[in-house]
Amino acid sequence: MDTLKKDEDSEEVEIDLGDSSDLEESEDGEEPQTLWRAQPSLDEEENIHTSTLVEISDTKPLITSRDARGINDCLKVGFEDVIAEPPSVRSGDRVWIWSNALFEVSRVWIYRIVTALLALPMSAISGLLFGLLSCFHVWMVRPCIRCVLIGNRWIQSFWDVMLHIVVVPFLTSAGKCCGGLGIHLAKE
């Protein structure tokens, strides 16, 4: 198995899972032990579709942007969008950090497990459905509509003449008659 190389310019963000009461350093001057590390998020345009999970994964995504049209923007949910503690009631720092980590890990892995079970059957069903609808539209609906429009060209011409001879002059006259009317609202 190949070893994966990380970018030299990427920095690691360290998160100390100790309580805020554990701020003092140990007697021998060592830093507190870091239990969890996360890669910083990259805000650069060129790296927007590359995440840490993709970099360490043995499979690369087939498409760089999986939601190019933003159809599922409503699913961009973070821990802070679901769970928020007001200043008056707060849990311990460790509870908050571990809850955040558990939320993110469980959200990602439940999604991966469910999509592994459902993605292929739903893709096949959706492909079959859209294939049948496309075939039905191309070979049945559109030719029937074209036949009706070709056969009824005289109805279109007759309707166009009736609109221009009867309806347009009548509505123009009614508009000019009612154009001088005005409504004034007065408070009594």
Side-chain angles (χ1 to χ4, degrees), residues 16-17 34 143:
D16 183 14
L17 296 178
T34 303

Side-chain angles (χ1 to χ4, degrees), residues 5 15 37 40 68 78 83 85-86 88 105 108 114 126 143 146 148:
K5 294 182 180 179
I15 298 176
R37 291 182 180 198
I83 299 176
E85 289 182 338
S88 60
V105 168
V108 168
V114 171
S126 298
R146 292 298 291 167
V148 168

Side-chain angles (χ1 to χ4, degrees), residues 13 21 32 45 51 56 65 76 81 99 109 176:
V13 175
S21 61
E45 186 68 31
S51 69
I56 63 173
S65 178
K76 292 180 181 175
D81 297 329
S99 298
W109 280 103
K176 288 184 179 181

Side-chain angles (χ1 to χ4, degrees), residues 107-125:
R107 180 179 62 92
V108 168
W109 280 103
I110 293 297
Y111 176 77
R112 287 180 180 175
I113 291 168
V114 171
T115 53
L117 296 173
L118 297 179
L120 295 177
M122 288 305 294
S123 297
I125 290 169

Side-chain angles (χ1 to χ4, degrees), residues 78-160:
F79 182 69
E80 296 81 14
D81 297 329
V82 178
I83 299 176
E85 289 182 338
S88 60
V89 288
R90 293 187 66 161
S91 61
D93 291 340
R94 285 187 186 185
V95 172
W96 182 259
I97 292 170
W98 282 101
S99 298
N100 188 352
L102 185 62
F103 174 84
E104 293 297 331
V105 168
S106 63
R107 180 179 62 92
V108 168
W109 280 103
I110 293 297
Y111 176 77
R112 287 180 180 175
I113 291 168
V114 171
T115 53
L117 296 173
L118 297 179
L120 295 177
M122 288 305 294
S123 297
I125 290 169
S126 298
L128 179 69
L129 177 68
F130 285 114
L132 288 173
L133 288 174
S134 297
C135 181
F136 182 71
H137 182 78
V138 168
W139 294 101
M140 300 290 282
V141 173
R142 196 66 183 159
C144 290
I145 291 172
R146 292 298 291 167
C147 287
V148 168
L149 290 176
I150 290 170
N152 295 325
R153 182 69 74 188
W154 66 273
I155 294 175
Q156 287 179 337
S157 299
F158 177 73
W159 184 250
D160 190 42

Side-chain angles (χ1 to χ4, degrees), residues 6-107:
K6 294 189 178 185
D7 294 338
E8 287 79 15
D9 58 345
S10 69
E11 298 177 20
E12 290 186 344
V13 175
E14 296 181 3
I15 298 176
D16 183 14
L17 296 178
D19 282 337
S20 59
S21 61
D22 296 342
L23 292 177
E24 64 272 0
E25 292 185 4
S26 61
E27 293 80 23
D28 49 307
E30 294 179 11
E31 293 183 10
Q33 180 184 7
T34 303
L35 300 177
W36 184 64
R37 291 182 180 198
Q39 292 289 331
S41 63
L42 299 174
D43 293 333
E44 300 171 3
E45 186 68 31
E46 62 208 31
N47 296 327
I48 196 164
H49 302 296
T50 306
S51 69
T52 308
L53 295 174
V54 173
E55 290 175 3
I56 63 173
S57 175
D58 57 342
T59 60
K60 297 291 182 183
L62 299 176
I63 301 171
T64 56
S65 178
R66 295 186 182 191
D67 189 12
R69 294 185 181 141
I71 295 171
N72 292 318
D73 280 342
C74 59
L75 295 178
K76 292 180 181 175
V77 177
F79 182 69
E80 296 81 14
D81 297 329
V82 178
I83 299 176
E85 289 182 338
S88 60
V89 288
R90 293 187 66 161
S91 61
D93 291 340
R94 285 187 186 185
V95 172
W96 182 259
I97 292 170
W98 282 101
S99 298
N100 188 352
L102 185 62
F103 174 84
E104 293 297 331
V105 168
S106 63
R107 180 179 62 92

